[in-house]
Amino acid sequence: MKILYGVQGTGNGHIARARGMCQALSKYPVEVDYLFSGRAPDKYFSMDCFGEYEVKKGLTFISEGGGINYLKTALKNNVYTLFQDIRRLDLSSYDLILNDFEPVTAWAAKLQNRTCISLSHQNAFRYSVPSKGAGWLDKKILTSFAPASHYLGLHWYHFDQPILPPIVNHSGYKNENKGFILVYLPFECVSEIYDLLSRFTNHQFICFHPDINEYEKQGNITFFSPSHNLFQEYLHACAGVIANGGFELPSEAMALGKKLLLKPLGGQFEQQSNVATLDMLGLASSMGSLDPVVVRRWLDEKVGEKVFYPNVAEAIAEWVIAGNWDNYLDLCRSLWKQVDFPSYASIN
């Protein structure tokens, strides 16, 4: 079997999920090529596992000051280039297209009548799951951005819907608590992050941010540029995580038993829904802005407990190779039976 895997590159969560699937698929006699879009080629990092991957421009959202700037988003994206990339992508040599909310491979598969399996957190919102702030445009993007033949949605809880648990990468780092707080707020200004955290002088913070070019130590805050391996090292050693409202990082943090404080990206219904969902489930705290009062209260909270998620990537890879793609209900049931939530979680 020869597979083309299209991955949305705007967020590191999509890439982290693809890393997990890459490792799982490598155990089978299949050939997998990877195509990423939505980010400038020089902005990708720690991509060795994907081999000679391909990059397209795709579509991306422009954030500014902790929210989405829709005007700059419209001006930044070149629809003509997108159409050209879709038209020129030849899929004739592939048996299957895997897709994580990536428009070039998804639309090319649709136009060339190729089987495409979509695997993403966004797909969970095709079902009746908690949602907050979704407007007409948001719903249209969900259904039209990356069409597929089959859809697999991922979420932290099943909500009695045919969706799967999150893909959590099981790395070889030792899970411990060295007392510091890991911070990943890529959509916030570095200066505002510093103003927020510098007042908590009794706490040490490790902050990764795309605007940092090299190591910087400023008082009780240490800044790093993005690095997958270094980030994983600090994630496994921290006491808690302050982050935006993405999907993959909270999944990994909960699996390690790290307490969470989340601030959603303004104007992004998926992040707003994610944060509201974890708040409702009792698995994270939230703040609508960089609020020192909320941070202080959260710092005083006790450490979290682990959420156990099985190896979802391996189960999906086995299901993909088996080829019975119309039947995924057994896959859903078997995986959720293995999930174990903390005692304080608000689970029915």
Side-chain angles (χ1 to χ4, degrees):
M1 181 183 288
K2 186 176 181 181
I3 298 172
L4 178 62
Y5 199 148
V7 183
Q8 175 61 252
T10 55
N12 291 325
H14 298 277
I15 300 174
R17 191 156 48 241
R19 284 193 184 94
M21 287 302 300
C22 177
Q23 182 179 8
L25 288 167
S26 68
K27 299 178 181 180
Y28 294 90
V30 296
E31 180 182 348
V32 186
D33 294 333
Y34 293 87
L35 184 151
F36 297 82
S37 74
R39 184 186 302 197
D42 62 342
K43 297 299 182 181
Y44 291 95
F45 58 91
S46 304
M47 301 286 283
D48 293 346
C49 67
F50 300 116
E52 296 294 325
Y53 61 90
E54 188 174 0
V55 174
K56 299 293 184 183
K57 188 174 180 62
L59 293 173
T60 188
F61 290 97
I62 307 302
S63 63
E64 191 173 69
I68 292 178
N69 187 316
Y70 284 100
L71 177 59
K72 288 187 177 181
T73 295
L75 295 174
K76 178 79 172 180
N77 287 294
N78 189 321
V79 178
Y80 176 77
T81 300
L82 174 68
F83 287 162
Q84 289 292 94
D85 286 341
I86 292 171
R87 186 177 64 84
R88 293 170 178 168
L89 185 61
D90 182 9
L91 303 179
S92 59
S93 65
Y94 293 101
D95 302 297
L96 175 67
I97 312 302
L98 288 179
N99 185 278
D100 192 327
F101 211 56
E102 195 289 308
V104 177
T105 52
W107 276 101
K110 184 176 179 66
L111 294 176
Q112 296 175 43
N113 197 29
R114 312 295 292 185
T115 301
C116 178
I117 298 175
S118 177
L119 172 66
S120 73
H121 173 53
Q122 284 80 7
N123 288 339
F125 293 100
R126 291 174 170 270
Y127 300 95
S128 181
V129 301
S131 178
K132 181 179 180 181
W136 176 87
L137 180 59
D138 298 305
K139 295 176 182 178
K140 195 67 177 175
I141 290 173
L142 275 178
T143 56
S144 304
F145 190 83
S149 315
H150 310 275
Y151 297 93
L152 293 180
L154 306 167
H155 216 326
W156 296 303
Y157 186 63
H158 55 70
F159 301 104
D160 294 322
Q161 303 298 317
I163 53 182
L164 303 175
I167 292 174
V168 177
N169 293 324
H170 299 270
S171 67
Y173 296 99
K174 180 181 179 181
N175 185 21
E176 52 190 339
N177 182 352
K178 293 188 176 181
F180 64 85
I181 301 299
L182 179 64
V183 181
Y184 184 60
L185 296 167
F187 305 110
E188 316 298 328
C189 296
V190 173
S191 59
E192 293 181 3
I193 296 173
Y194 174 80
D195 290 342
L196 172 70
L197 303 178
S198 59
R199 68 190 70 197
F200 302 107
T201 55
N202 291 330
H203 296 270
Q204 294 296 313
F205 300 92
I206 302 294
C207 179
F208 286 80
H209 199 283
D211 291 342
I212 298 296
N213 294 320
E214 56 186 39
Y215 169 90
E216 295 180 24
K217 173 77 172 171
Q218 298 184 32
N220 62 327
I221 312 168
T222 305
F223 289 96
F224 289 97
S225 59
S227 165
H228 172 69
N229 292 331
L230 191 59
F231 186 88
Q232 285 294 320
E233 180 181 330
Y234 282 114
L235 174 61
H236 282 72
C238 73
V241 176
I242 300 176
N244 286 122
F247 181 70
E248 199 63 28
L249 176 54
S251 301
E252 293 182 4
M254 288 189 296
L256 294 171
K258 311 297 184 180
K259 65 179 182 179
L260 277 169
L261 175 59
L262 303 176
K263 188 265 177 189
L265 174 63
Q268 220 276 8
F269 101 92
E270 181 195 343
Q271 290 213 3
Q272 293 175 350
S273 300
N274 286 347
V275 174
T277 297
L278 286 181
D279 203 357
M280 176 189 71
L281 294 175
L283 296 173
S285 298
S286 64
M287 56 181 175
S289 61
L290 300 180
D291 190 336
V293 175
V294 177
V295 174
R296 185 177 300 278
R297 184 169 62 244
W298 177 79
L299 288 171
D300 291 335
E301 291 180 2
K302 64 181 181 180
V303 298
E305 296 178 19
K306 293 181 182 179
V307 178
F308 176 78
Y309 289 117
N311 197 321
V312 177
E314 286 193 355
I316 294 174
E318 182 179 359
W319 174 83
V320 167
I321 301 303
N324 187 17
W325 301 322
D326 288 320
N327 179 18
Y328 57 89
L329 295 181
D330 290 341
L331 175 66
C332 296
R333 295 190 191 100
S334 65
L335 287 172
W336 283 112
K337 285 180 180 179
Q338 301 174 59
V339 177
D340 186 26
F341 290 99
S343 58
Y344 54 75
S346 302
I347 305 297
N348 293 330

